[in-house]
Amino acid sequence: MVHMSWNDGRIAIIQEALREHGLDAIVCALPANVLMLSGYWPVVGTAIAVATSDGKTSVLAPQDEVELARRGYAQHVATFHAGSLERISTAAQAAEQPLAAMLGSLDLLTARIGFESGEWLEPSPYASLHLYCDAIPSVLKRIAPRANPTNADAMLRELRAVASPDEINRIRASCSIAAQAYQQGAAALRGGATESQAAAHFRTHLYVTAPPVIDCGRADGFVFCMSGPNAATAHGAYARSRGRALAPGDLVLVHCNSYVDGYWTDITRTFCIGSPNPQQHRMYSAIFAARDAALAMIRPGARAADIDRAARDVLSQHGFGDAFKHSTGHGVGFAAIDHNAMPRLHPKSPDVLREGMVFNVEPGIYLEDQGMRHCEMVAVTHDGCERLTPFQADIASLSLLG
């Protein structure tokens, strides 16, 4: 079997974290964590990844996902059948003996092993997602009774916070696909089209566009369109496209979460059907000034709370402080929308930026009858930041005059 070695940077980060936390290995089953440990994004959630402090990465994958598993960088891929005509069993029961054999081959049966627990926000890779939950620590206790299983949630959140160069490249590719979808989808934003029709037109280009930069196995995502008074509610916990017809003069907020092989984006653009009126022009000016103030502060060592304050202060100076109803941003990459993913650009955030962090910057204005948000994706560099979404970034490119 040929193994890819395209993510040595991530392996080194995992090794260092395990050693710092006194762990010999980490065992994960949440798809985003399996992706982080192995470069393989599971489809139905039954795969398990094991990474050790000496740099070994192994994956236990269901038989029908083995091709995907081998696209990652795990040195060893073992398979199991999560379902069988011989007996009715849970995925945990089917995986128990293969996992025991894997831990034995890695000399981990008496080791200190970290596992995931607690609350996680997990992007779904399929229509239905299997979650092991408490089954993994229970299995570890049965198959390795002399081992020392340890909750490693804090370490895993830290690991997710900083992307390797290859992971940033894949997030960059997902942003590039979204950029093409936005350019093509803007043509559907005309009076008479419904929000749902417009959103569908945008989304089509997420999975039909040939992925740039990298070899890609799976690309797709979600797009939501909210116009007029519906855009005023876009600060809520979820987005929703409806049957409302777009009309001249509307602000049309288009929110996109695209992915390439499990690496996600969180992007928003707000278009105007026609030339912006004076109020809308003031909103655009305030939003872009807030964005620029936040971007100017991004560098290693900057405090996330200070970046939030910079954007919030600008919107207040423009008279829209009370209309900015959420934080300025959050970590993006292994999840699309997780407001607790570091770094949290929040007024109370304790987070400090590090090189390799990827997150969004999303100043927004939500009035009674209309709303606007402009959400950029950025990556922290050694001396500042790279804007991963440098498209449709001014009033002229967002005004649909045709």
Side-chain angles (χ1 to χ4, degrees), residues 247-279:
D250 275 352
L251 289 179
V252 183
L253 189 152
V254 178
H255 174 82
C256 171
N257 298 115
S258 58
Y259 67 75
V260 165
D261 288 336
Y263 298 94
W264 289 81
T265 69
D266 189 20
I267 305 168
T268 305
R269 295 292 184 265
T270 303
F271 300 90
C272 185
I273 307 296
S275 182
N277 63 34
Q279 169 80 324

Side-chain angles (χ1 to χ4, degrees), residues 41-328:
W41 191 37
V43 178
V44 297
T46 55
I48 300 171
V50 180
T52 67
S53 60
D54 59 358
K56 297 175 183 175
T57 303
S58 300
V59 164
L60 178 62
Q63 181 63 47
D64 54 1
E65 293 187 28
V66 65
E67 179 183 353
L68 295 174
R70 287 174 177 163
R71 291 175 61 90
Y73 55 82
Q75 294 96 331
H76 176 62
V77 176
T79 63
F80 74 106
H81 291 279
S84 169
L85 291 177
E86 301 300 321
R87 63 172 182 157
I88 296 176
S89 64
T90 67
Q93 290 169 337
E96 185 167 315
Q97 290 309 311
L99 182 60
M102 179 174 286
L103 296 183
S105 69
L106 294 169
D107 197 24
L108 295 175
L109 295 179
T110 60
R112 182 175 167 86
I113 303 173
F115 63 87
E116 61 206 356
S117 183
E119 295 183 67
W120 290 90
L121 196 155
E122 182 71 18
S124 179
Y126 196 62
S128 181
L129 180 63
H130 175 272
L131 297 173
Y132 283 101
C133 299
D134 291 339
I136 292 296
S138 298
V139 167
L140 289 175
K141 290 177 182 177
R142 286 195 298 273
I143 66 178
R146 292 187 294 158
N148 183 8
T150 302
N151 185 316
D153 281 358
M155 184 192 76
L156 288 167
R157 294 188 190 283
E158 288 283 343
L159 283 171
R160 283 200 192 193
V162 177
S164 72
D166 184 83
E167 289 164 346
I168 292 175
N169 195 37
R170 288 163 187 270
I171 297 169
R172 187 183 291 116
S174 191
C175 289
S176 296
I177 291 175
Q180 295 181 60
Y182 270 100
Q183 297 290 352
Q184 297 294 325
L189 297 180
R190 295 293 184 268
T194 67
E195 294 177 352
S196 296
Q197 289 169 339
H201 189 75
F202 276 81
R203 180 172 176 259
T204 296
H205 298 282
L206 296 180
Y207 57 83
V208 301
T209 303
V213 184
I214 62 168
D215 177 30
C216 167
R218 295 142 71 194
D220 202 344
F222 300 89
V223 177
F224 301 95
C225 176
M226 290 154 284
S227 63
N230 291 340
T233 68
H235 56 85
Y238 68 96
R240 175 185 171 196
S241 302
R242 308 179 197 184
R244 182 184 185 272
L246 309 185
D250 275 352
L251 289 179
V252 183
L253 189 152
V254 178
H255 174 82
C256 171
N257 298 115
S258 58
Y259 67 75
V260 165
D261 288 336
Y263 298 94
W264 289 81
T265 69
D266 189 20
I267 305 168
T268 305
R269 295 292 184 265
T270 303
F271 300 90
C272 185
I273 307 296
S275 182
N277 63 34
Q279 169 80 324
Q280 292 166 342
H281 201 282
R282 287 193 296 272
M283 293 169 70
Y284 275 120
S285 296
I287 286 284
F288 292 137
R291 173 200 62 190
D292 293 345
L295 293 177
M297 295 190 65
I298 297 173
R299 62 181 57 83
R303 295 179 65 248
D306 291 341
I307 298 170
D308 177 89
R309 185 178 303 109
R312 205 166 295 280
D313 285 349
V314 168
L315 288 175
S316 294
Q317 291 163 13
H318 283 76
F320 296 111
D322 291 341
F324 186 20
K325 300 181 180 182
H326 52 69
S327 66
T328 299

Side-chain angles (χ1 to χ4, degrees), residues 310-361:
R312 205 166 295 280
D313 285 349
V314 168
L315 288 175
S316 294
Q317 291 163 13
H318 283 76
F320 296 111
D322 291 341
F324 186 20
K325 300 181 180 182
H326 52 69
S327 66
T328 299
H330 52 79
V332 183
F334 290 106
I337 305 174
D338 182 353
H339 295 284
N340 284 310
M342 295 184 287
R344 295 157 292 182
L345 275 58
H346 185 281
K348 303 299 183 182
S349 176
D351 301 339
V352 176
L353 301 193
R354 289 174 280 163
E355 183 177 357
M357 283 183 160
V358 180
F359 53 95
N360 61 359
V361 174

